[in-house]
Amino acid sequence: MNQPISFGAGRPTDTGRNDLTDVMRQVAHGDKEAFSALYDALAPLVFGIVLKVVRDRAQSEEVAQEVMIDLWRQAARYRPEAGAVRTWAATIAHRRAVDRVRSAQAATDREHAQAAREHTTAFDEVAEQVETRLESEQVRRCLRGLTELQRQAVTLAYYQGLTYREVAETLRTPLPTIKTRMRDGLIRLRDCMGVTT
């Protein structure tokens, strides 16, 4: 049972349907020598089927070994009336190979999806930084277009978080004058930045 599959060896000896059915019955009863004979008869067939589906030799050898172990474990489930042992083994081999390909494809799809999410996130962060820098530059340019008094009032209120009253106290200017400067300054900023209301 621990025997490796000798892949690449010639075709197995032609074992008839009845012979393999008898061998399978013996394997179902735990006969290791019968399994060795079954292994020799079916390993090349199993490997060939798996290789055609999986197309990677190393993975095909692994899947073929799994199939041979399945044949050992499931020998009692084999029913001669359902078909030949070779057909049964070929069906198990094909299913296992397809499962391996699907599993590998699903893993690849998950990796691609994760990479796309990470790539999109990185792109969004860069785009957001660029947009923020462009907007900041435009705000600085528009602020330079304000009068000195308007710029001071707007800067104190929006960049330093002062209230109208605190701006008036800081600039030692009456509150109504500060409100007028702020209103006029914000209108000019809005127009400069092309903001529509």
Side-chain angles (χ1 to χ4, degrees), residues 9 55 69 94-95 161-162 174-175 183 197:
R55 298 184 181 202
I69 291 170
H94 188 263
R95 286 181 185 159
L162 300 181
L175 183 60
R183 187 191 75 230
T197 55

Side-chain angles (χ1 to χ4, degrees), residues 163-183:
T163 64
Y164 286 138
R165 186 173 308 286
E166 291 170 333
V167 170
E169 291 170 4
T170 301
L171 296 177
R172 296 189 179 108
T173 306
L175 183 60
T177 305
I178 289 300
K179 287 183 178 182
T180 302
R181 287 180 189 166
M182 291 283 292
R183 187 191 75 230

